Every structure is written in C-alpha cells, then in structure tokens.
Amino acid sequence: MNKTTIQQPVADAEAQRIAALRRTAHAAADAAEKAWYELAGQLDVGPDRTRAFEVYENLRHARRVG
C-alpha cells in the first residue's frame, strides 16, 4: 500500500478537527467580547467601567497578529 493513500485521510480529518476547534474558539472569543462590552456599557463612569472597557479592548485585539 502507498503511505500517502493511508495518511491523506488522516491529515484531512486532522485539518477538519483543527478547523472546528478554531471556529469554536473564535465563537467563544466573540461571546466574551460582547459580554464585556455589554457589562462596560452598563457600569457608571469610573474605574470599574474603565477596567471593563480595557478588558473588552484586550479581548478585541487578542486575535490580531502583527
């Protein structure tokens, strides 16, 4: 048997598994961003609100590369 014939489906399955995990991670990050933004918007002006918006901004920028 040819090794590439056997390993190709395994590689495809691994790539699909990684892609699904990546989608799940992005969805979780999106939900966290929305939750922190909503929280920050509801807080009174002050250090708690500032901190909440800082967390939101950190989450928003976390996936940027470069």
Side-chain angles (χ1 to χ4, degrees):
M1 282 191 155
N2 187 346
K3 285 185 178 180
T4 56
T5 305
I6 295 170
Q7 291 189 6
Q8 186 63 34
V10 173
D12 288 344
E14 181 69 9
Q16 290 176 356
R17 186 179 74 78
I18 296 297
L21 290 170
R22 185 173 286 119
R23 285 190 301 273
T24 300
H26 278 290
D30 290 341
E33 284 179 33
K34 289 176 186 177
W36 276 99
Y37 186 85
E38 185 176 337
L39 170 64
Q42 295 299 311
L43 294 172
D44 291 334
V45 174
D48 288 340
R49 181 183 173 112
T50 300
R51 176 71 179 133
F53 272 119
E54 287 174 354
V55 171
Y56 160 73
E57 284 295 319
N58 286 336
L59 288 167
R60 197 169 72 84
H61 292 284
R63 291 181 274 173
R64 293 187 181 176
V65 178

